[in-house]
Amino acid sequence: MTLSRRDVIRIAGGAALALPFASACQEDSGPGSRADPAADETGGALLRSSARLPAPFGVPLPVPPVLQPVSTSGGVDRYQITQRVAKVELLPGLQTEIWGYEGRLPGPTIVSRSGRGTVVRHRNELPVPVAVHLHGGVTPPEHDGYPTDLITPAGGWPANGGHNGHTGQTSDLVKEYTYPLEQQAATLWYHDHRMDFTGPQVYRGLAGFHLVHDDNEDSLPLPKGDRDIPLMIFDRSFAEDGSFPYPSLDPSLRDRPGVTTEFMGGVLGDVILVNGAPWPRLEVSNTRYRFRLLNASNARRYRLALDPPPPSGDPFIQIGSDVGLLGSPLGQSAIEISPAQRYDVVVDFSGYPVNTQVVLRNEIGEGGAAQVMRFDVVRRATDDTRVPDRLSDFEELSRSSAARTRDLKFVRRGSDGMWTVNGQPFDPNRDDFDPRLNSTEVWRIKSDAFRHPVHMHLAHFQVLSRDKGDQPWDAGWKDTVELRRGETVELIARFTGYAGRYVFHCHNLEHEDMAMMANMRVV
Ligand code: C2O
Ligand code: CU
Ligand code: CU
């Protein structure tokens, strides 16, 4: 029997109504629990590990390898990635089956030059369809990883990846994605985007960094080389045998999308991994380091702080946001990072005596989720880097430049428990918004009783206002903004690059899969 997406969500949603989110009886029993404070705000639940978990800070921080191009001729860098099933050791002594780009978690890092074309040929050796999205990329629509533009697996797949009546551009086994990357230096990432199944597919491992450099960035005296480190932070849970117990209704990810009722608001894990290692440790010199922070979690948000804080100065000097460097640096005592966001920060370890252990803490996590990794200041070194007052030609967009204002609501629908944009679940055949190419618009977005990290494809934006008070880390060009509960956020977006159809959605991946997504047709 093949259920349609609608049937499944109706069933799951009906069950959700019968067992409302605030089910206190789940507190300490069953696989899911709301004891983690993060759960309340996403509407999600904590999935507890049954595997034996390692003590924190026991393993060194891995850094994902940089992928080598297969050719660099004709002004274009060409890469190949095979998506495959692999067994990897994430927890010491246990094997975990993952789905990885090149069989790795995280996938290999792609490093590109702004304005130099990058072509990535993806081969799908997984048992299900995939779609690859370059998050933060200004990419033509047919290469953006639209949720129904699928690469089907060997042996084929029912028409349109099982989505009745939804026409996507299906490719058999292989697809070449072309990225012009006419955009400034930034920390982008690539991840799976298959309609209805993004949550479980990213959870199994389909995520990697894609860094873009440019001449401006090169000219700055910031830390470089092995003192410029990307940190992909995500939470997971582990079953006793080391496998991921993601609560899919259909663990084969073939027919039925969705997760069991208690996790409809988000799947939270009790192990925090950085670049695929649980609570790792990095030995550093007493110098400045640049860290490119990415929250690649399905639903968990973090409030990152250093413990102990440096004896003087701000723990984090923020130099960039999601899609580029700030105009000038901003000192931050802590940074809140919601799913899909990136913060580019410099940490100066020179204030710490050698032999200090500095924990990167998550001030809004409980138990294992309260800590992320540790920096051990183990040696002296010379440092000729600094953070200059001017980082880029940042242009602040003014409200008066906006061609129009739109009002949107990110809300859970009462009738069936689905996550919606303006009360409507995602329909790939319906265009919801029609911004004009090269125009600027204000989008006034309101949330319900939950937090929603809202992400726009193609267009980059700035945060104009929040009715619950400013957040200091909102500065700069962004592609994802977090709405707090019951908050209205105004963002101002510039629709440059390409005309065509793109999505706009909540990046809590369980909310996204359960239909909190809309179409923008840029005209
Ligand atoms: Cu990071 Cu539409 O995704
Ligand atoms: Cu995106
Ligand atoms: Cu959401």
Side-chain angles (χ1 to χ4, degrees), residues 447-462:
S447 60
D448 56 0
F450 302 98
R451 290 193 178 240
H452 300 290
V454 168
H455 169 51
M456 194 180 265
H457 285 220
L458 179 75
H460 298 162
F461 58 77
Q462 297 168 15

Side-chain angles (χ1 to χ4, degrees), residues 40-86:
D40 278 343
E41 308 226 334
T42 59
L46 181 67
L47 179 62
R48 288 186 191 282
S49 291
S50 43
R52 215 187 115 103
L53 302 180
F57 319 130
V59 288
L61 174 79
V63 175
V66 172
L67 189 64
Q68 293 308 305
V70 291
S71 93
T72 56
S73 57
V76 176
D77 298 334
R78 296 182 174 274
Y79 295 90
Q80 284 181 6
I81 289 180
T82 299
Q83 305 187 25
R84 59 170 175 258
V85 180

Side-chain angles (χ1 to χ4, degrees), residues 133-137 144 191 193 455-458 479 503 505 507:
H133 171 55
L134 176 59
H135 182 122
D144 194 53
H191 65 75
H193 218 303
H455 169 51
M456 194 180 265
H457 285 220
L458 179 75
D479 59 40
V503 288
H505 60 88
H507 219 291

Side-chain angles (χ1 to χ4, degrees), residues 217-284:
E217 182 194 36
D218 285 354
S219 74
L220 301 172
L222 296 168
K224 292 189 170 70
D226 58 5
R227 294 186 196 161
D228 173 0
I229 302 176
L231 300 177
M232 182 187 286
I233 302 169
F234 51 81
D235 60 335
R236 292 290 185 271
S237 304
F238 293 86
E240 212 172 336
D241 62 358
S243 63
F244 289 140
Y246 188 88
S248 290
L249 293 176
D250 170 7
S252 73
L253 309 187
R254 288 189 70 86
D255 300 317
R256 302 180 67 193
V259 291
T260 56
T261 306
E262 66 193 302
F263 295 101
M264 278 184 73
V267 177
L268 302 168
D270 53 9
V271 178
I272 309 299
L273 301 105
V274 185
N275 294 345
W279 305 289
R281 162 177 52 84
L282 176 69
E283 295 191 344
V284 296

